[in-house]
Amino acid sequence: MSNAQKYGAGIWHFATYVDRYATDGYGPPRTLLEMIDMAGQVEDLSVVDINYPFADPSISLDQVEDALKRNGLEVIGITPEIYTRKFAKGAFTNPDAGVRRAAAEMIDDAADVVRRFGASYVKLWPGQDGWDYPFQVDYQQVWKHSVEGIAELAEKHSDLKFVIEYKPREPRVHMSYDSVARTLLGIEKMGLPNVGILLDFGHALYGGESPADSAQLAIDYGRLFGMDVNDNLRGWDDDLVAGTVHPIELFEFFYTLRKNNWEGVWQLDQFPFREDPIAAATSAINFLKTIERALDTLDFAAMAEAQANHDAVTALDMAREALFTAYRK
């Protein structure tokens, strides 16, 4: 299993960023093709998630395919940008039916790109769906739009997988899909086999969840279709380099995946505003490889026994021994 593990990253990892203070950005803009070429420089990185539509409309699918091939990269998912200014009041939950149709049409196009690149899924991050103030929305109507909008698309494109990446807040103060439990409720209501969760480790932390528990819940319902990792200080979605703040919880997260025989790409969702993106990706992947080595040496039976007794000290001693001795082994 370890030898076959694939590592991926959202292509935005290699972009340059702005915030509300450095409105001139933290570096010169990069094109999608330049970002793909940078991703190709990261050893062991073989998979990328790509936003759609492309920021530069002059870039063709053929050009993207050529860039992927020359860098030895595959596409795991296409992320339609249903969170931009046009969708400020929501994509699925927008009060304007025309805007909701526009979101659906963009996702239809993204589905075609998934097929073109042989990707695994359409990734939905409905960041603008939800509300900000008390009394702002009819909660029943907003939830109905959230569930029915995705279900209609998933049923239409039944040959593809759709993953929902939940997040507590930002940009909306309350996002419709804000937790693993609420997202699972929506998916179960849809009742379709091709809709699942993409579990962002940092979003689970930020939402006050234990990421390993979130993963187990999604697995128990057969809905963990993808995952990505990063880190934060739990008060915001900082998208820091994976393993730099919560290494033990990250190890527990991957322990849970291994225990359940969950196989898939270990993907980065990091935003290195001030760091070199190639170095940041390399650092994260090196730590993920440390976790792999630690999982190979961890005594799963002994861990299960400690957990059966709720023996935190013994369990953590085993976890730390495995993880810290595997570092740079």
Side-chain angles (χ1 to χ4, degrees):
M1 185 180 193
S2 297
N3 293 335
Q5 184 58 56
K6 287 187 176 182
Y7 302 98
I11 200 64
W12 49 88
H13 179 100
F14 303 95
T16 54
Y17 313 100
V18 300
D19 61 27
R20 63 193 181 115
Y21 299 102
T23 56
D24 55 343
Y26 287 87
R30 297 188 185 113
T31 68
L32 173 58
L33 302 182
E34 289 172 331
M35 289 188 272
I36 293 172
D37 285 337
M38 290 184 74
Q41 296 177 52
V42 179
E43 187 178 0
D44 296 315
L45 184 69
S46 60
V47 178
V48 291
D49 182 333
I50 297 178
N51 308 89
Y52 184 85
F54 307 143
D56 182 350
S58 69
I59 293 178
S60 68
L61 291 173
D62 287 342
Q63 287 176 293
V64 173
E65 186 171 30
D66 288 344
L68 292 166
K69 285 181 178 176
R70 71 172 171 261
N71 286 287
L73 296 171
E74 300 173 355
V75 179
I76 187 171
I78 298 295
T79 301
E81 295 196 328
I82 54 173
Y83 40 79
T84 55
R85 185 194 308 176
K86 181 173 186 176
F87 305 105
K89 289 190 175 182
F92 297 109
T93 65
N94 201 291
D96 185 331
V99 176
R100 296 199 301 271
R101 282 195 299 273
E105 288 167 3
M106 182 185 290
I107 295 166
D108 284 336
D109 292 341
D112 288 337
V113 179
V114 167
R115 295 185 183 98
R116 165 68 184 268
F117 291 131
S120 298
Y121 48 69
V122 179
K123 189 182 82 180
L124 302 176
W125 181 66
Q128 300 285 8
D129 282 21
W131 65 93
D132 306 306
Y133 294 94
F135 284 101
Q136 183 176 11
V137 300
D138 179 326
Y139 299 117
Q140 184 181 49
Q141 186 63 61
V142 165
W143 185 237
K144 184 172 185 288
H145 283 321
S146 297
V147 172
E148 292 181 356
I150 293 177
E152 183 177 336
L153 286 159
E155 195 164 23
K156 180 179 181 181
H157 301 283
S158 59
D159 59 313
L160 301 179
K161 288 182 178 179
F162 286 74
V163 298
I164 302 171
E165 181 178 2
Y166 69 87
K167 184 178 177 180
R169 55 195 176 277
E170 193 215 7
R172 292 315 286 257
V173 176
H174 296 275
M175 284 177 58
S176 289
Y177 293 102
D178 67 354
S179 63
V180 66
R182 188 175 173 92
T183 306
L184 282 171
L185 278 173
I187 292 172
E188 291 306 300
K189 191 169 181 65
M190 293 174 206
L192 298 169
N194 59 325
V195 185
I197 285 177
L198 184 137
L199 202 164
D200 182 298
F201 180 84
H203 292 178
L205 286 176
Y206 175 34
E209 299 175 358
S210 293
D213 172 62
S214 303
Q216 186 64 65
L217 193 61
I219 288 169
D220 287 345
Y221 280 83
R223 299 293 185 175
L224 186 61
F225 287 6
M227 49 72 63
D228 52 42
V229 294
N230 43 50
D231 218 328
N232 62 51
L233 298 174
R234 263 197 158 94
W236 195 248
D237 186 31
D238 302 303
D239 285 323
L240 303 176
V241 173
T244 52
V245 184
H246 294 94
I248 288 292
E249 285 183 273
L250 188 63
F251 185 37
E252 184 191 30
F253 176 76
F254 282 109
Y255 162 78
T256 302
L257 299 185
R258 175 74 72 90
K259 183 177 72 170
N260 287 275
N261 297 311
W262 188 91
E263 295 187 23
V265 173
W266 291 13
Q267 183 152 285
L268 307 178
D269 184 6
Q270 303 178 160
F271 279 70
F273 278 73
R274 299 167 184 82
E275 290 71 40
D276 176 84
I278 295 173
T282 300
S283 174
I285 290 173
N286 283 341
F287 190 69
L288 295 185
K289 292 168 75 174
T290 296
I291 287 177
E292 279 196 275
R293 292 193 294 271
L295 289 172
D296 289 340
T297 62
L298 183 67
D299 187 334
F300 276 61
M303 179 63 76
E305 183 179 353
Q307 291 179 337
N309 294 315
H310 294 198
D311 185 347
V313 173
T314 299
L316 280 166
D317 280 348
M318 287 191 291
R320 289 182 296 185
E321 172 75 15
L323 181 60
F324 298 153
T325 60
Y327 191 70
R328 294 202 181 281
K329 198 169 186 178

